[in-house]
Amino acid sequence: RGPRPDRQERLRLTTTTIKENTTMAQTVVAFEDIQSVVGTTLGPSEWIEVTQDRIDTFADATDDHQWIHVDPERAAEGPFGAPIAHGFLTLSLLIPMWSELFDVSGVSTKVNYGLDKVRFTNPVKVGSRIRLTVTIKEAGEVKGNGIHLVADGTIEIEGQERPAVVATFLNRFYQ
């Protein structure tokens, strides 16, 4: 074997079509090289618009029909001046944005393992656009030929100084 490539060389960048007429760089790393991405910041992802239809669909799925989410007329008179997305709707959009930014090759199973910390720091008004930036914090082996990956994510709102969500989320990848 020759010398081990440096960290940047071990990152395998590919371009993946995410949406029609949009391409973005996605970091794809081999299972055995996951440690090489610890400390790496990825993103931002593409913007996702939070529409009233998306909010209403989420309200139906979760039976959370609070007026600040689903009644545009009343919400316009409320504390935020418009309907706002459910915090958990915004959080759930972390998954497709994360998938745009990062993937692991050579695995049979990918698991969203949970969250260590979540803060909803700014409401997302209907019509806003959000995107994700992630820093890979740590990676370690787990039973069953797996890797446990910890990432710090920030979901920002276009044009806002404060982010919508700050979260530490956990992933597992198994060969």
Side-chain angles (χ1 to χ4, degrees):
R1 287 183 117 166
R4 183 170 168 87
D6 73 13
R7 180 173 172 225
Q8 287 302 316
E9 290 174 38
R10 289 191 310 263
L11 291 177
R12 297 183 185 144
L13 295 177
T14 62
T15 301
T16 306
T17 300
I18 303 299
K19 298 175 186 170
E20 190 174 317
N21 299 324
T22 302
T23 58
M24 109 167 298
Q26 179 188 51
T27 298
V28 179
V29 63
F31 178 83
E32 59 273 7
D33 293 332
I34 289 178
Q35 286 291 340
S36 71
V37 297
V38 172
T40 301
T41 298
L42 306 172
S45 67
E46 292 292 325
W47 292 107
I48 294 178
E49 184 177 0
V50 180
T51 64
Q52 187 64 55
D53 185 55
R54 186 183 294 265
I55 292 169
D56 293 343
T57 299
F58 189 84
D60 289 342
T62 60
D63 283 334
D64 181 353
H65 294 93
Q66 187 175 356
W67 63 268
I68 62 172
H69 306 304
V70 299
D71 185 341
E73 290 176 12
R74 186 171 175 198
E77 302 300 320
F80 306 109
I84 61 167
H86 305 73
F88 282 104
L89 166 58
T90 306
L91 180 62
S92 72
L93 293 171
L94 182 142
I95 298 303
M97 292 186 286
W98 167 239
S99 297
E100 287 181 15
L101 298 176
F102 185 75
D103 199 10
V104 178
S105 64
V107 296
S108 63
T109 306
K110 302 170 187 177
V111 178
N112 172 358
Y113 195 69
L115 301 154
D116 271 352
K117 182 178 179 181
V118 177
R119 296 293 180 264
F120 301 110
T121 56
N122 198 2
V124 177
K125 293 181 183 181
V126 69
S128 296
R129 295 188 333 153
I130 60 173
R131 67 182 180 183
L132 174 69
T133 301
V134 173
T135 299
I136 303 199
K137 189 173 173 181
E138 59 186 80
E141 293 182 18
V142 292
K143 187 177 176 179
N145 201 23
I147 298 286
H148 180 82
L149 187 136
V150 179
D152 288 333
T154 301
I155 298 175
E156 69 175 287
I157 306 167
E158 187 175 38
Q160 297 288 314
E161 192 171 313
R162 262 190 10 243
V165 177
V166 178
T168 299
F169 60 103
L170 315 174
N171 302 267
R172 288 206 172 168
F173 302 94
Y174 295 93
Q175 273 191 315

